[in-house]
Amino acid sequence: MRAPATPSLTSGLLTDVGRQRQGGVNQDAALALDLPQGGLYAVADGMGGHAAGELAANLALDALSQTYLDGRGVAPARLAEAVQAANLAVLRHAVGEYVGMGTTLLAVLIDRGALLVAHVGDSRAYLMRDGALHRLTEDHSWVAEQVRLGHMTEAEARDHQWRSVVSNALGGEERVRLELFGLPAAAGDRLLLCSDGLSSVVTDQELLALLARPLTPDNTARLLVNAANDAGGPDNITALIVDIHRAARLPSYALPPRREDGPLYVDVLLSTQRGNSLTTYLLLMVAYFTLLGIMLVPERRALLGLAGTTLLLGLLIVQRVQLRRQQTNPLHQPSATLPLPPGATPPEASISHPR
């Protein structure tokens, strides 16, 4: 008998009301959707009176998953369109008793060997790789902006009275503003998606210490939620863990670059993504006109075929160089690292689970 193949991805999630929220309403929601060549994972932290935030978070995740599954085209554009659909779903329900409701939305799409991140609000994505924790997202909030400008420290921001006030969320206007970027995945990567109920009370160094334990994603999520509750549990808490056991090859499309100028309107991002597909369009055009020329001018078919083949090879080389640059695209400096013995070198990243 052949042993069953080890899955390339495993995930676990847990959401908890926390210890200080009145009425026991949990306005967080999470999504873990298996896909043929990866998965779609998301966290939403709703806002609004009583059940409005809970409704907004669930509306957003339902629209996100359904629109992505129904979509066509390359994955980055489909993901951006799905976030826009989630925005409209929240906006159209924000009437009557639900006026003013909204939600953050953090989505990570694993598509073969690519990690695509779509981000609105202050929920966070982290990547643990080679004993270091990298914060993939920056909060869309006034307090976070003060930290980026150097007017406030991380410690001051953690205790600031406005730390939970976001500057960008779903449901605020017709066109959503979001950050969208991609990076190559690696075997041994561990992803954390979480609401601010976790990241606002557990430091990055503490997160890394918990993530580095050799536990399953489900047990790790429980550990993180317990840590947030032990720190007072002032808000709803959601932790979603994804382990990547085998890295696939990168897809053929260009990964959206990570920008430093904050969120952009979705139509701007989509036009940029279409621009990134220029090489693919050129390949199709060269192939089409080469075949057309051979049919219309058969006496020159050898010359036309040679010219067309040379152009195609040149464009394929350009596309391959772009993909290689993406593979070596570095992460930002880690926000936390595991302590090492003197003289030791960081071990290769690996995730092991007890039997």
Side-chain angles (χ1 to χ4, degrees):
M1 290 181 62
R2 180 178 295 177
T6 302
S8 60
L9 303 171
T10 53
S11 65
L13 66 88
L14 184 64
T15 184
D16 186 86
V17 71
R19 292 186 173 174
Q20 297 183 31
R21 285 288 179 162
Q22 298 297 321
V25 175
N26 189 349
Q27 299 189 103
D28 284 3
L31 168 74
L33 177 64
D34 292 332
L35 298 172
Q37 299 187 82
L40 177 61
Y41 306 94
V43 167
D45 180 359
M47 57 199 77
H50 191 54
E54 181 182 18
L55 175 63
N58 283 284
L59 282 170
L61 295 187
D62 288 345
L64 176 81
S65 58
Q66 194 59 53
T67 304
Y68 184 81
L69 290 173
D70 293 342
R72 295 291 181 268
V74 295
R78 286 173 65 186
L79 183 58
E81 290 164 354
V83 174
Q84 171 63 8
N87 176 63
L88 291 177
V90 175
L91 184 66
R92 289 166 181 165
H93 281 81
V95 295
E97 62 180 314
Y98 299 124
V99 166
M101 77 175 182
T103 183
T104 70
L105 180 61
L106 170 64
V108 173
L109 174 68
I110 300 178
D111 182 26
R112 289 160 283 184
L115 303 176
L116 298 171
V117 182
H119 169 51
V120 182
D122 65 350
S123 295
R124 288 186 183 176
Y126 292 89
L127 172 65
M128 188 182 76
R129 177 181 289 177
D130 294 337
L133 188 67
H134 301 267
R135 190 190 299 179
L136 299 182
T137 57
E138 296 293 336
D139 299 345
H140 299 167
S141 67
W142 180 84
V143 167
E145 183 64 22
Q146 299 310 300
V147 173
R148 284 192 287 273
L149 294 173
H151 300 160
M152 190 182 298
T153 66
E154 287 279 2
E156 291 170 338
R158 189 175 295 278
D159 296 324
H160 199 279
Q161 60 179 340
W162 292 351
R163 65 185 181 276
S164 297
V165 179
V166 297
S167 57
N168 185 31
L170 299 190
E173 53 185 319
E174 286 280 344
R175 295 182 303 158
V176 68
R177 292 186 301 122
L178 74 152
E179 291 184 74
L180 176 70
F181 61 91
L183 65 155
D189 282 351
R190 169 166 275 191
L191 285 163
L192 166 65
L193 281 64
C194 66
S195 62
D196 68 331
L198 175 64
S199 60
S200 66
V201 295
V202 181
T203 68
D204 287 5
Q205 194 65 50
E206 292 166 338
L207 289 175
L208 176 58
L210 297 173
L211 288 167
R213 295 190 185 185
L215 301 174
T216 63
D218 279 323
N219 288 336
T220 303
R222 167 58 67 184
L223 203 64
L224 292 167
V225 168
N226 287 345
N229 276 323
D230 290 343
D235 200 352
N236 304 146
I237 310 156
T238 297
L240 196 164
I241 310 292
V242 184
D243 285 347
I244 300 175
H245 304 288
R246 299 195 307 272
R249 296 183 63 179
L250 279 171
S252 60
Y253 55 77
L255 299 183
R258 190 171 182 179
R259 305 173 62 95
E260 303 298 333
D261 51 356
L264 295 178
Y265 281 108
V266 64
D267 51 336
V268 177
L269 280 172
L270 287 172
S271 64
T272 303
Q273 184 57 42
R274 293 185 186 103
N276 289 339
S277 302
L278 179 60
T279 305
T280 301
Y281 290 131
L282 287 174
L283 285 168
L284 293 173
M285 287 176 62
V286 169
Y288 172 78
F289 283 111
T290 300
L291 291 173
L292 183 63
I294 291 172
M295 292 172 62
L296 295 177
V297 192
E299 64 273 15
R300 299 283 184 90
R301 62 178 177 271
L303 179 60
L304 290 170
L306 178 61
T309 302
T310 302
L311 278 172
L312 285 171
L313 287 174
L315 288 170
L316 285 171
I317 290 171
V318 169
Q319 190 176 55
R320 180 59 59 185
V321 169
Q322 290 175 339
L323 290 175
R324 285 189 178 277
R325 286 176 179 171
Q326 291 171 3
Q327 288 178 321
T328 58
N329 194 24
L331 292 166
H332 288 176
Q333 287 296 315
S335 60
T337 56
L338 291 173
L340 293 171
T345 57
E348 290 296 318
S350 62
I351 302 292
S352 59
H353 295 156
R355 296 288 182 182

